[in-house]
Amino acid sequence: MSHDQHAHFMREAIRLAQRNMDSLQGGPFGAVIVRDGKIISTGVNQVTSHNDPTAHAEVVAIRNACAQIGHWDLHACEIYTSCEPCPMCLGAIWWARLHRIWYAANQEQAAQAGFDDARFYDELALPAHARTISMHNILPEEGKLVLHAWQDKQDKIPY
């Protein structure tokens, strides 16, 4: 794709972010998922309007794209997002197998605007015992049994 095409898709993500913010439906974030040079889904931040802390623009766009194509694997797609994805969204992008991320504002600019993504990046770099949310490993052997059952399952749908 040409620079102009990439800029077109990014401007659409930014336009969605602005419109969402102006409508008071959520934060200033928009995302567009593109396959074969065409937009197949969009998403805007819906955290406050849906009372869902996972309803970030990228996650909403991924959910919409998967519903649109009827599959969870978006390997042939790229995402354009108005801001660098937070760790949750980055994880969702990896799980959805998107092959390229385009973003406008970066995480430092998001922090300056009052979004604390940097805190999450910092936390992930720490060992589990040093994180601010207390994490406790309990019944690991019992938990491992279901994973072994998955490994042996002949009719599983791998992902």
Side-chain angles (χ1 to χ4, degrees):
M1 270 193 281
S2 71
H3 174 75
D4 287 346
Q5 289 171 301
H6 292 302
H8 167 75
F9 295 131
M10 184 57 70
R11 284 189 181 104
E12 180 61 14
I14 293 167
R15 186 189 69 74
L16 290 167
Q18 181 70 50
R19 189 176 78 195
N20 193 57
M21 181 186 66
D22 292 345
S23 72
L24 302 176
Q25 295 299 302
F29 304 101
V32 171
I33 294 182
V34 173
R35 182 172 69 178
D36 298 327
K38 294 183 176 84
I39 294 174
I40 65 165
S41 77
T42 63
V44 294
N45 181 283
Q46 299 174 343
V47 170
T48 57
S49 61
H50 286 72
N51 294 317
D52 180 355
T54 68
H56 289 201
E58 297 91 338
V59 172
V60 171
I62 289 168
R63 291 173 183 163
N64 292 340
C66 291
Q68 175 69 25
I69 68 168
H71 203 273
W72 59 267
D73 186 337
L74 301 176
H75 74 275
C77 303
E78 23 191 351
I79 189 166
Y80 295 79
T81 181
S82 61
C83 189
E84 183 176 358
C86 74
M88 177 186 69
C89 293
L90 192 54
I93 290 166
W94 282 327
W95 277 111
R97 312 293 197 263
L98 288 148
H99 81 276
R100 187 169 294 131
I101 301 167
W102 300 86
Y103 64 92
N106 64 36
Q107 63 178 282
E108 290 82 15
Q109 292 165 322
Q112 290 170 357
F115 295 95
D116 56 2
D117 298 17
R119 176 173 63 103
F120 301 120
Y121 280 105
D122 293 344
E123 283 278 320
L124 287 172
L126 298 173
H129 71 274
R131 295 180 182 153
T132 57
I133 295 177
S134 179
M135 296 179 69
H136 306 275
N137 187 223
I138 185 170
L139 302 177
E141 292 305 312
E142 291 179 35
K144 186 169 65 173
L145 291 176
V146 74
L147 294 175
H148 287 303
W150 171 259
Q151 283 178 299
D152 298 337
K153 187 171 177 52
Q154 296 301 308
D155 62 344
K156 66 185 169 197
I157 301 172
Y159 60 96

